[in-house]
Amino acid sequence: MHRALRKNAGFFYILPALVFVGLFVFWPLGQLVYLSLTDTSLLGGGKFIGFENYFKAFEDKSFWRALWFTLKYTVFITPILMGLGFLLALLTAPNRPLRQITRGIIFLPVVIGIGSSSLLWFWLFDQQVGLFNKALIDIGLMAEPMVWFTKADPALIAVTISITWKVIGFGMLLFVAGIQSINGEIGEAALIDGGSYWQRVWYIILPLSMRVILLTTLISVIGSMLAFDQFYIMTGGNPRGQTFTSVYWIYQNSFISFKLGYGAALSIILMLIILVFSSLQVALSNRSPAT
Amino acid sequence: MNVPKRWRAIAIAAISTVALIPGTSFAATLSIWARASSSNAAQHMIDLWNASHDDKIELTTIPDNQMVTKLATSVQSGDVPDLISFDLIFMPDFMRAGLLTDLTDVLGADPNQAKVAQAFKDLATYEGRLYGTGFTPDVSILLYNKDLFRKAGLDPEQPPKTIGQLEDFARKIRASDPNAYGYYFSGSCGGCNIFTQAPMMWASGATLLPSSADGPAMEGTGVKEVLTMLHNMWKDGIIPESAEADTGANFQATFETGTIGMQGSGGFAIAALKANHPEIDFGIAPLPGVNEGDASSFVGGDVIAVPKGSKNADLALQFIQWQLTDDAQLNGLAKNLILPSRSDLADNEFFKAEPRYVTTAQAVGIGKTPYAFHFNDMVNADQSPWLTMLQTAVFDGDVDGAIAGAQETLRSIAAQ
């Protein structure tokens, strides 16, 4: 009895976590999979229809267009968040009072809800009362106020600016942690050998921060692939549905068109796509040197 | 405490007797859910009821876009409010889904129900049975800036009576002031436009949304004419560029800048403009049609119903009947400058000082509301056929193609 208990001690230790994950991850996921195989509407129903929702999804041009736009947004915003976040981290990593305050200020928008920040930026970009247009006119970059949300590309840029302001502090903080964990002696040795600041960044800090960079990229990519609030509030999917993200389209189907079953199928497809991306990044991360 | 057995028996008998006397009961508290945009009006009505009844009502405000989800899930879980006030446009879907209690026997015999605006009676009827009635209505109207009318040499007391006049007036306003625009609409908002542009179409006889797969869709005089008028104004810069991207966020705000000559709006605009922009001299008129005398409106606002599973359904029904009485309609709504749902009370003592309210109240009587299942799919969704038609016609100029595309998609949605 005792031997059996001892043999399975590890299992008993992780049992609470397994129960928790089972209840709050796998059970709802199972429900979602089942829902995706039915014609459930928000107003009732729920007949089993097999893979019909999935076949429908493959023919749903709007979904694939939304997915394509989501990928475009992800590819567009991720390098900005990574590059700018890393540069800010280089600037604020040393623990000196002014740099710590700067770090705090840059991090501040992270604690604001994404809904609030999107609303704030929506009005900042407004053609008539927005300060953003006024600032661009005042510094001579524009002759007259611009309507940011009538074309897909300016709309994408507007959302990217708002999200960069909102989340850049989070990436910066992770990078700061990564930079600060690098053994200082390595940098000192490079300094003695005559390495310039940017040479130290390129040959020491960057390679030794790679795991943090990949982790931050992973978080950023997942966040971008699941983008919803910012587009819902700032563009409403416009112009003409050109800024619909995948999650926005799932929301439209589930809660505006009441098609919960179909929305569930789209969610499963999106989850699988994100899973593939994440797995690739985790595999890359495992091949990177540890700091 | 040691109470003699004899006294205890007397006390129990007394309590039981009181409880068994017909009409003797303990006061109950009813719950009502109302969507955010109508909760202010609902609260006035509830306050009036609570002041004069032992049974009280408690209001819970639900964000507009969560109402359908909340109601559907609450009915399925059996935990519903006693009453529900929601956008009347969802009545067909809710009735067909069996989420509401049949009120035909009581409301059908109520003389006040006969005086309720026809749009509410139509929308609350499914397969000949009545499932709700009018509660807090609102209607669409044409809002116009009298100062800009004067500047353009137009008579501020003579708003346009046809869509041809509307376009003509809009052009004159634009020509009179480089900072002013003749007309405005939220070009990326399906709901805003079914409220404000659709009445100009059906005022001339058009049928817009099909209620069945073979029903008429975007047919009749008015559809092409209104779309063409809007396209012409857009093409010539009579409508501001920002209209194309407006998802409804600037539906009211743009007119408040004082640079818009005319726009479709709702009765709610009167109180908002009076309170927040007393400097704007504005007028209210019915939305015109193709020919003079074709005016119409969209009757929006909230219907009141009893969800299936209500624990106090009888009392809830009492409230519904009470809110249709003269006292409730006048002192709960009109006194607070909110439209009554009964058309016969449009001209009341509270609106006398503000004739603009009489115009809106009369619009309740002449207005319509489309009876359609899948209204969200057809109109409100961001890529709905209604919105796509409007955008393709107005911004791209392909009016005929836009109408044909909408007809096909609308019928396929109605077939679901």
Side-chain angles (χ1 to χ4, degrees):
Chain A
M1 178 71 182
H2 280 290
R3 188 179 296 169
L5 272 175
R6 207 173 302 139
K7 196 178 165 191
N8 295 312
F11 173 73
F12 288 115
Y13 279 123
I14 63 162
L15 189 59
L18 279 181
V19 171
F20 185 84
V21 171
L23 267 179
F24 294 103
V25 177
F26 289 106
W27 173 247
L29 189 63
Q31 294 271 50
L32 186 74
V33 172
Y34 175 72
L35 200 63
S36 73
L37 302 173
T38 69
D39 67 352
T40 306
S41 154
L42 200 56
L43 299 173
K47 199 173 64 182
F48 185 81
I49 54 167
F51 289 96
E52 208 173 290
N53 283 328
Y54 290 92
F55 297 139
K56 191 178 155 193
F58 283 107
E59 289 170 3
D60 184 348
K61 284 180 191 156
S62 298
F63 175 64
W64 295 107
R65 187 168 75 161
L67 187 64
W68 177 245
F69 174 74
T70 311
L71 285 171
K72 185 177 157 187
Y73 167 68
T74 305
V75 169
F76 185 63
I77 198 169
T78 306
I80 296 172
L81 292 178
M82 293 302 102
L84 201 59
F86 192 75
L87 288 176
L88 288 170
L90 287 174
L91 191 76
T92 61
N95 280 329
R96 290 181 204 126
L98 191 61
R99 291 178 194 253
Q100 283 172 323
I101 291 169
T102 311
R103 213 188 293 161
I105 291 169
I106 295 167
F107 187 76
L108 211 57
V110 176
V111 299
I112 299 172
I114 195 160
S116 311
S117 83
S118 299
L119 210 52
L120 171 80
W121 280 94
F122 174 76
W123 286 109
L124 285 173
F125 280 111
D126 186 81
Q127 186 203 18
Q128 284 161 333
V129 296
L131 289 178
F132 201 78
N133 273 332
K134 186 158 176 20
L136 291 181
I137 291 168
D138 286 349
I139 58 174
L141 285 177
M142 272 187 345
E144 55 184 44
M146 174 180 168
V147 185
W148 285 82
F149 302 111
T150 47
K151 299 274 183 298
D153 288 342
L156 178 64
I157 291 168
V159 171
T160 302
I161 291 171
S162 84
I163 291 300
T164 303
W165 175 81
K166 164 83 183 74
V167 306
I168 193 77
F170 183 69
M172 176 202 69
L173 212 63
L174 291 178
F175 289 138
V176 166
I179 292 168
Q180 288 184 342
S181 67
I182 297 170
N183 189 339
E185 288 173 6
I186 304 172
E188 282 166 21
L191 197 63
I192 292 164
D193 289 343
S196 70
Y197 176 75
W198 288 111
Q199 281 176 321
R200 277 180 282 143
V201 169
W202 187 254
Y203 294 109
I204 297 170
I205 298 177
L206 207 56
L208 291 178
S209 304
M210 201 45 83
R211 295 195 88 145
V212 179
I213 292 171
L214 284 167
L215 171 73
T216 314
T217 311
L218 182 69
I219 294 169
S220 174
V221 166
I222 292 174
S224 303
M225 291 291 287
L226 295 176
F228 169 68
D229 315 49
Q230 57 269 46
F231 288 97
Y232 179 75
I233 292 168
M234 292 180 71
T235 74
N238 288 296
R240 321 280 184 92
Q242 289 179 60
T243 60
F244 266 122
T245 60
S246 309
V247 177
Y248 198 161
W249 188 241
I250 291 168
Y251 164 81
Q252 278 277 321
N253 276 281
S254 304
F255 299 107
I256 303 297
S257 300
F258 308 154
K259 296 169 192 161
L260 283 183
Y262 184 54
L266 296 180
S267 304
I268 297 282
I269 294 171
L270 182 64
M271 187 190 74
L272 292 174
I273 291 169
I274 293 176
L275 198 66
V276 170
F277 275 107
S278 308
S279 305
L280 279 173
Q281 282 181 302
V282 170
L284 271 174
S285 168
N286 289 338
R287 288 168 54 188
S288 305
T291 49
Chain B
M1 195 172 72
N2 206 358
V3 180
K5 272 185 184 168
R6 192 172 47 179
W7 286 111
R8 232 184 292 173
I10 290 170
I12 290 167
I15 291 166
S16 308
T17 311
V18 170
L20 288 171
I21 295 170
T24 307
S25 60
F26 297 101
T29 300
L30 276 81
S31 56
I32 180 170
W33 289 357
R35 61 176 178 146
S37 53
S38 68
S39 66
N40 175 48
Q43 189 64 61
H44 285 301
M45 201 66 117
I46 290 163
D47 289 345
L48 191 66
W49 163 278
N50 285 347
S52 56
H53 292 77
D54 291 333
D55 301 305
K56 305 297 178 196
I57 298 182
E58 269 180 14
L59 170 70
T60 302
T61 301
I62 310 288
D64 286 24
N65 59 0
Q66 288 178 21
M67 185 55 105
V68 179
T69 320
K70 289 275 284 185
L71 179 64
T73 47
S74 69
V75 170
Q76 279 162 21
S77 68
D79 187 17
V80 294
D82 296 307
L83 286 153
I84 184 151
S85 155
F86 60 95
D87 190 342
L88 83 162
I89 206 71
F90 290 118
M91 273 306 271
D93 280 322
F94 281 13
M95 292 185 295
R96 188 165 72 167
L99 301 181
L100 306 174
T101 306
D102 185 343
L103 309 177
T104 314
D105 294 340
V106 178
L107 272 186
D110 188 331
N112 288 328
Q113 170 64 17
K115 300 168 192 164
V116 169
Q118 190 60 39
F120 280 102
K121 287 191 276 191
D122 292 346
L123 266 283
T125 303
Y126 177 63
E127 293 184 339
R129 309 296 293 175
L130 196 58
Y131 290 86
T133 188
F135 188 41
T136 52
D138 203 353
V139 285
S140 53
I141 39 82
L142 183 75
L143 186 63
Y144 65 98
N145 186 319
K146 289 187 175 180
D147 287 333
L148 293 180
F149 262 56
R150 285 188 199 98
K151 207 169 180 182
L154 299 165
D155 181 352
E157 302 313 319
Q158 293 296 322
K161 291 188 175 68
T162 64
I163 58 167
Q165 274 185 4
L166 190 149
E167 185 179 341
D168 182 41
F169 289 8
R171 287 180 184 279
K172 285 180 175 153
I173 290 166
R174 179 71 174 134
S176 68
D177 181 349
N179 294 318
Y181 290 91
Y183 190 73
Y184 186 77
F185 74 105
S186 299
S188 292
C189 174
C192 310
N193 287 304
I194 198 79
F195 192 54
T196 55
Q197 314 306 319
M200 294 196 280
M201 297 176 180
W202 68 53
S204 308
T207 301
L208 305 186
L209 307 180
S211 51
S212 62
D214 51 358
M218 299 297 157
E219 285 175 19
T221 311
V223 179
K224 187 172 178 179
E225 288 80 356
V226 171
L227 292 174
T228 306
M229 172 198 71
L230 291 171
H231 170 64
N232 288 340
M233 289 199 289
W234 170 257
K235 184 173 54 121
D236 296 339
I238 313 294
I239 297 169
E241 196 191 347
S242 59
E244 187 178 357
D246 184 4
T247 55
N250 286 323
F251 181 70
Q252 192 61 26
T254 310
F255 188 85
E256 290 171 356
T257 60
T259 59
I260 301 297
M262 293 173 281
Q263 80 160 80
S265 187
F268 58 83
I270 303 174
L273 284 168
K274 281 174 72 171
N276 305 324
H277 294 276
E279 77 283 3
I280 298 178
D281 185 10
F282 67 95
I284 296 287
L287 287 158
V290 175
N291 302 307
E292 200 166 330
D294 281 351
S296 191
S297 174
F298 185 109
V299 180
D302 278 26
V303 71
I304 190 163
V306 180
K308 278 255 175 77
S310 163
K311 292 177 184 66
N312 296 296
D314 290 342
L315 208 48
L317 198 46
Q318 276 181 39
F319 175 76
I320 290 179
Q321 285 190 285
W322 170 84
Q323 64 91 25
L324 291 177
T325 60
D326 289 19
D327 175 41
Q329 292 275 306
L330 293 173
N331 293 312
L333 297 176
K335 191 179 176 182
N336 297 299
L337 300 178
I338 297 161
L339 298 179
S341 56
R342 273 175 45 190
S343 322
D344 62 313
L345 298 175
D347 199 0
N348 60 69
E349 56 180 305
F350 301 107
F351 288 1
K352 283 208 165 36
E354 177 51 276
R356 288 176 289 202
Y357 282 113
V358 180
T359 308
T360 54
Q362 283 166 346
V364 178
I366 61 165
K368 282 187 193 176
T369 314
Y371 191 108
F373 300 104
H374 310 294
F375 183 82
N376 265 356
D377 273 355
M378 291 183 181
V379 174
N380 283 340
D382 291 316
Q383 285 189 298
S384 71
W386 161 253
L387 185 58
T388 305
M389 177 191 76
L390 202 78
Q391 293 177 322
T392 309
V394 180
F395 304 127
D396 299 346
D398 180 11
V399 176
D400 291 328
I403 295 172
Q407 286 171 333
E408 190 186 333
T409 319
L410 285 168
R411 289 200 182 104
S412 72
I413 293 172
Q416 289 171 13

